[in-house]
Structure formats: C-alpha cells, structure tokens
Amino acid sequence: MGSNFFHHPDGWVGTTPWWKDAVFYQVYPASFKDSNGDGWGDIPGLISKIDYLHHLGVDVVWLSPMFESPQQDMGYDISDYQAVYARYGTLADVDQLIAACHSRGMKLILDLVVNHTSDQHAWFRESRSSKSNPKRDWYIWKPPRYDNAGYRIPPTNWRGYFAGSTWTWDEATQEYYLNLYGPFQPDLNWENPECRAAIYEVAMRFWLDRGIDGFRIDTVNKYSKRTDFPDAPITCPDAPHQPAPEMWCNGPRIHEFIHEMQTQVLAPYNAVSVGELSNTPLPSQVLPYVSAAARELDMVFEFSMIRLGTGDLFHGKYLYRPFPLSVLKRHVATWQTFIEGTDGWHTVFCENHDNGRAVSRFGDDSTPELWEASAKTIALWQATLTGTLFLYQGQEIGMKNMPRSWGIEEYKDVESLGFFNEVVALGDEKKIAATLHGLQILARDHSRLPFQWDESPNSGFTGEGVAPWMRVHDEYRELNAAKQLQDPESVLGFYGKVLKLRKKYGDIFVHGKFKLLFPEDESLFTYVKEGVEVGHGSDGEHRRALVVMNFTSRDQKCPNVSSALGCRKGEERLLSWAVFIGK
C-alpha cells in the first residue's frame, strides 16, 4: 500500500464563508471522557481533551445534547433548554468550554432539538394540564376516533420512528398528543407563533448570547405537518400502523418556518447552521434548504449514503441489505455534483451518533491489517470530497462496532430495543436472528461505546473499578488514541496528514468539482477532483487530483487513468489508496 502526495507550493486561501473550509467534530458527551469517575462522560472531560482535537486539526466542536433531560433518548428528550444535565456539568462548564474553544481559534456549536420536547418539560406539563391552558396549543392534540365496534383508536394510522403509533392517549384530558418518536417526546406545534417565539428565545438566543457559534439542528424538516391529518396509505397490510413520512417531512410551511428562524435568530448572530434532513432523497428537494439566496440553512445532512444497508425505515429497518460498491459510488456522485452551478452547499460525513462505525460498515475490520487499510482509505475518501467535513468521535482512530459476541443485553438504545422487542413479540425466530444480525452492523449503539483513550482500565474513559454507562470495547488495549499518537503511520497520524492536505488544497478537495470514473467497477473507487481557479488572469490555473481507492481485501491493478491525471503506464498495484495532484 502507499500514497503519493505531490504538493503544490501554494496553499489554498479561500474567500468563502469560514464554515465551508472548516473541519467539524461531533462529540457525544456521555461517551467521550469522564472527569469525575461516575461512568458518564462530561463537559469537564471534553475540556481536558480540547488540545487533542486542536492538534488533530478540528475547527469546530459540535456537542450533542447536554441539556436537562430524563435521558430516555440520550438527551434528545429535553426537559429544560437552559439547564445542563447534572452528570454533564453546569452552565459554568459550558462557558469554560466556549472559552477553551475560542482561545484556540476553534468554535462550538450545540444541538438544537425543537421538533419535540420531553414530556417532563414545563411547557408540556402546562399543555396537558387542561384543554383551556394557554399552552395547550403549543403541542398537537387531537380527539380520538372510534372504529366500527366502538373502540377508541388514534386520530391517524401513522407509525412512529420508535415503533408503535405516533399518538399517545392522555387520560386526564381525553385526547391524544402527537409524538413522531417516543411517547415521552411530544411534538411541538410550530403552527403556533407564540410557541415559535419561545423556541427562538429560550432554546436559541439564550445560548447564542453565551457565545456559542451556531447549531446542528435536529429533525429540521419535520416542523411543518399536514394539518388535515389524513390516514397514510396501507403499505404494510399486516401492521396496525403505517409509515407516513410524507405527512410530516418537508411540509407545507417548512421553508417559511426555517426562513423565519434564520432571519430572526441565526443571521443576527452570524450563527452557522447545519440541519438534519431526513426522508429527502432528491437533490431538487434539498437545494431549497441550502440555497444562499433562500436564506434558510447553511448546509444539511442528507442520509442516502450513510443509510446504505438499512431496511425499510419504519418496518424492518434492521434487516440488513448488502449493497455493492457501485451503489455507494452512485450515491456519492449524486450528492457531490448536485450543488454544481448553484449557490448551495453540501456536507461530507460517514459517521454520526445514529449509525454503526464506518470501518465496520464500508471497510473490513476482520484483521488488524485490513482494519488499518480500511480506516485509512475511509479517511482519504472523506478528506477528498467536496463540502464541509464532519468527523465523529473515534472515527479518527478507526473505532469499530461492538464485537459480534456481545448479546442484546449490551444494546441500550431505545430504537434498537424497540425494533428488537417488536420482532420478538411476533415470535418469528428467523426474523429475530436477522434483526440481531442487522443490529450488529447498523445499530446506533456502536457509535456510543466509550472513547478508547489508552490502555488503562476502562480505556482511560473513566477510572479503574468504575462501571461505564456502556461497556468498553474488548480491543481497547490494541486500538486507542495514546498508542496511535506515538505512531505517525497510525490511523490517527494518517487523519492528521489528510486533514492538512485537505486544507492546503482546499480549492480541489473542499470546493472542487467531482468526476466519477469507472462507476461499475466493484473493486476500485476512482474519481477526479478539479479545483476552482487559483491565481488570476494568465497566471490562473485549475489544479486537479486523482483519487484511487481499493475497497476490497485483495491487491488490485491500477486502472488506465493516464488521460485523467495520475498513474503512468504500468504503474504499481494498489492495495489501499493513492492520491495524485497535478495541473
């Protein structure tokens, strides 16, 4: 294996918004670093590792929810937007984190979770207290329907993301409330202007006034629902509840709501925004959200590629579907080229808190040699794509999925257990086994294992003798950050190199045009990146890079790409990766 970096003497100096060239790094606080020995990561622990992130080349820390919460969905069920969950720390700790980032020239963004709250939030407690409460209409309440036999049934037949109905019965007020996720996560009613104003003030300006630099916005395209609340078509005849994302994704007022958020809150603070845009598979649907002229969001996460291998989102999500490299390449090409000729922007990512580890999904972690080659290939793949790069904690050291020998008792996530328990209730042994197999590849739990810092007990995540909230990976003594920091040829060392390469050649890798070569090749992933013009007038030039990556466990011969820039005739065989840069 080898890499060939032909460095141009001039670095790339962009004139575009800062966030386009930035490297973002997502921290899942419960699993990053425990500073006080309670087995739960915290903000002081993150502060203690800021220099690690700075040295890696991180520009922006994205901190996943650390707000007050019953933690039924790991903080995506917020009970107080202006308080910090005690196990994570205090408001003073957040202020210190902001200062620690800013003093190093880094920025901090928080998760904005405002499609729903916890059912323990004061707003919902008021809303459910009576039908006449002033906040009743801050959530979505509907009376029951009755079937032909006179039995009470929900207002619609919609299925939720965590299994079951999207409607929960409230005995006290004799109505249902809408919850797209768990019954403990009632949806806010964005149709109510007072509710929106409170969200802007309480959940956003409060933190922007403290000095944060923006938000990752959770479930950003679900605020506007179909207000006529029709039943969904029957697509799963054997199920009582039906998939209905068309009823709440990209709804009739969604662009109005997001534009209002941008102009009233984000723009006055010059705050960066990146939205989670699910169930939006067409470029024509995505572009209106990220067009600069539309003044909505700076960028979004689109999930077609990262969800490869998953089953139906609502029924059988964890029935794994193998896919060839050509399908992966097609998705990458679609989203690499959709902004060309527009004023939109794109994100680059292959890991987050809701998916299995990339090296276990897109690579081969069966042996140390193949694991290392896979992790480095994924690093190169991500670092050479156009858009803003997002890394997830542990990706930079090649953290793996939990071992297959672990049983279902090690899975903690509400979604994982919801889907598994659903198939157990059906009693279909084959489907149970298939679901467990899918969870071993795709479950959200994999990304939530404690960060592997060193060889000490509990991988340095927490103290010896402490029971961490999730089990530490069995291989932490062989795979950890401390060991890799001592080796410039490690996966971590390689990430440092490619991130520097990405920034030096930002005209090519961050802003360049993407051209896929050999789309049907099931072994090699090959593409050309052509940069924006460097220099002016007769001295201007477009630099190009050829990227060739082997997505198999065997040697492959370099394809004939001499006309596209790169391999000379008879070039060496490639095991893993190569990059060639030229004019």
Side-chain angles (χ1 to χ4, degrees), residues 318-449:
Y318 291 106
L319 298 179
Y320 183 70
R321 298 174 179 173
F323 57 91
L325 178 62
S326 57
V327 170
L328 171 67
K329 292 193 286 188
R330 185 167 67 246
H331 281 289
V332 172
T334 295
W335 296 104
Q336 279 291 284
T337 57
F338 94 104
I339 60 170
E340 290 182 3
T342 77
D343 64 348
W345 193 242
H346 185 51
T347 56
V348 177
F349 69 104
C350 66
E351 286 198 17
N352 62 21
H353 63 292
D354 283 337
N355 292 275
R357 289 290 185 175
V359 73
S360 299
R361 294 183 59 209
F362 305 117
D364 187 337
D365 64 6
S366 61
T367 69
E369 294 76 20
L370 291 174
W371 159 78
E372 180 178 352
S374 295
K376 289 181 177 179
T377 300
I378 289 168
L380 186 63
W381 169 37
Q382 295 293 286
T384 56
L385 293 179
T386 295
T388 298
L389 178 61
F390 285 76
L391 303 178
Y392 180 74
Q393 66 181 44
Q395 179 180 338
E396 77 279 9
I397 61 171
M399 282 183 64
K400 303 178 182 181
N401 280 356
M402 61 175 70
R404 288 179 178 270
S405 59
W406 290 11
I408 191 65
E409 68 277 2
E410 300 295 347
Y411 291 75
K412 310 295 184 185
D413 176 48
V414 61
E415 182 182 81
S416 298
L417 296 177
F419 275 88
F420 185 75
N421 291 335
E422 187 176 43
V423 297
V424 168
L426 294 175
D428 185 333
E429 294 298 328
K430 288 186 178 179
K431 198 168 185 179
I432 293 171
T435 299
L436 181 58
H437 171 70
L439 287 169
Q440 291 171 336
I441 302 170
L442 302 167
R444 306 198 301 181
D445 303 78
H446 298 298
S447 61
R448 304 176 183 190
L449 295 188

Side-chain angles (χ1 to χ4, degrees), residues 3 5 7 52 55-57 371-372 375-377 379-380 383 391 394-399 451 479-502 577:
S3 57
F5 300 143
H7 296 286
Y52 166 84
H55 177 74
L56 176 62
W371 159 78
E372 180 178 352
K376 289 181 177 179
T377 300
L380 186 63
L391 303 178
Q395 179 180 338
E396 77 279 9
I397 61 171
M399 282 183 64
F451 192 99
L479 199 172
N480 62 71
K483 186 174 182 179
Q484 294 188 26
L485 280 168
Q486 303 303 314
D487 180 7
E489 300 304 315
S490 66
V491 172
L492 179 60
F494 189 77
Y495 263 94
K497 292 174 185 176
V498 295
L499 292 180
K500 289 177 181 176
L501 186 78
R502 177 179 176 82
W577 65 87

Side-chain angles (χ1 to χ4, degrees), residues 16-79:
T16 54
W18 65 267
W19 40 265
K20 290 190 175 183
D21 294 271
V23 174
F24 287 65
Y25 185 101
Q26 182 185 359
V27 170
Y28 197 72
S31 301
F32 194 61
K33 175 63 179 175
D34 172 22
S35 70
N36 60 3
D38 67 353
W40 191 276
D42 47 46
I43 296 170
L46 168 57
I47 294 170
S48 74
K49 297 297 184 179
I50 284 293
D51 283 331
Y52 166 84
L53 299 181
H54 188 228
H55 177 74
L56 176 62
V58 170
D59 301 299
V60 185
V61 175
W62 154 21
L63 181 59
S64 290
M66 76 305 164
F67 311 100
E68 186 62 58
S69 166
Q71 299 295 330
Q72 291 181 270
D73 186 19
M74 290 305 296
Y76 285 91
D77 51 324
I78 296 172
S79 56

Side-chain angles (χ1 to χ4, degrees), residues 234-242:
I234 305 298
T235 56
C236 300
D238 297 330
H241 311 294
Q242 301 299 308

Side-chain angles (χ1 to χ4, degrees), residues 4-15:
N4 297 279
F5 300 143
F6 299 117
H7 296 286
H8 193 279
D10 301 317
W12 161 250
V13 179
T15 58

